[in-house]
Amino acid sequence: GVAAELREVVREVLDRLVSDDDLKSAGVAIESGQNGYTQKQKVRLLLKSRGLSDNARKAPEESVRLVDELTASLTRSVYVRGSISTHVTSPVEEVRQLKLYVDGVLGELLEIHRRRV
């Protein structure tokens, strides 16, 4: 539950900061095999519009990808285990790790840690 909510927070923030129309206007094509624009595409456009270099954009883009992957992995592992009571430590640690990625990517997307001059 918590992992899914953390992923949803990232998705919602990205949707509010970069719309599909923004991506379309910028000439970004929907990636093959996708039904719509990806979060990675939204992060890339947002950070590019702020003037960040390719290297500076890599960490936030990778963090968004990791949030998705960790959430999916955690969901699968809890489902497969069947008995969550015998494996509480692992999912809790995975959610804590996921929260660190979410904190980092939200800090970047919302410019929380940027020093304003």
Side-chain angles (χ1 to χ4, degrees):
V2 173
E5 289 300 321
L6 288 170
R7 180 173 65 176
E8 190 63 18
V9 167
V10 172
R11 188 200 60 74
E12 185 65 31
V13 166
L14 281 171
D15 285 350
R16 291 196 182 266
L17 294 175
V18 181
S19 70
D20 287 353
D21 288 338
D22 294 334
L23 288 159
K24 194 179 295 181
S25 295
V28 177
I30 294 175
E31 294 175 359
S32 67
Q34 299 293 323
N35 292 328
Y37 293 106
T38 65
Q39 290 185 13
K40 183 177 179 179
Q41 289 175 303
K42 289 184 177 198
V43 170
R44 184 174 294 139
L45 182 64
L46 174 67
L47 299 180
K48 197 173 190 177
S49 73
R50 293 180 182 165
L52 270 70
S53 68
D54 289 345
N55 285 337
R57 292 192 312 259
K58 284 182 183 178
E61 287 176 14
E62 184 66 10
S63 293
V64 168
R65 186 188 65 75
L66 286 170
V67 165
D68 269 349
E69 286 183 10
L70 286 172
T71 304
S73 173
L74 178 61
T75 302
R76 278 191 306 273
S77 67
V78 168
Y79 178 78
V80 169
R81 286 180 186 142
S83 175
I84 187 73
S85 62
T86 60
H87 301 285
V88 170
T89 303
S90 180
V92 168
E93 291 305 315
E94 289 177 38
V95 170
R96 285 186 182 140
Q97 185 64 43
L98 176 62
K99 185 182 179 306
L100 292 173
Y101 287 118
V102 169
D103 288 347
V105 77
L106 288 177
E108 182 69 38
L109 296 176
L110 298 171
E111 298 183 293
I112 293 170
H113 306 295
R114 287 203 186 273
R115 184 179 223 180
R116 303 231 192 268
V117 189

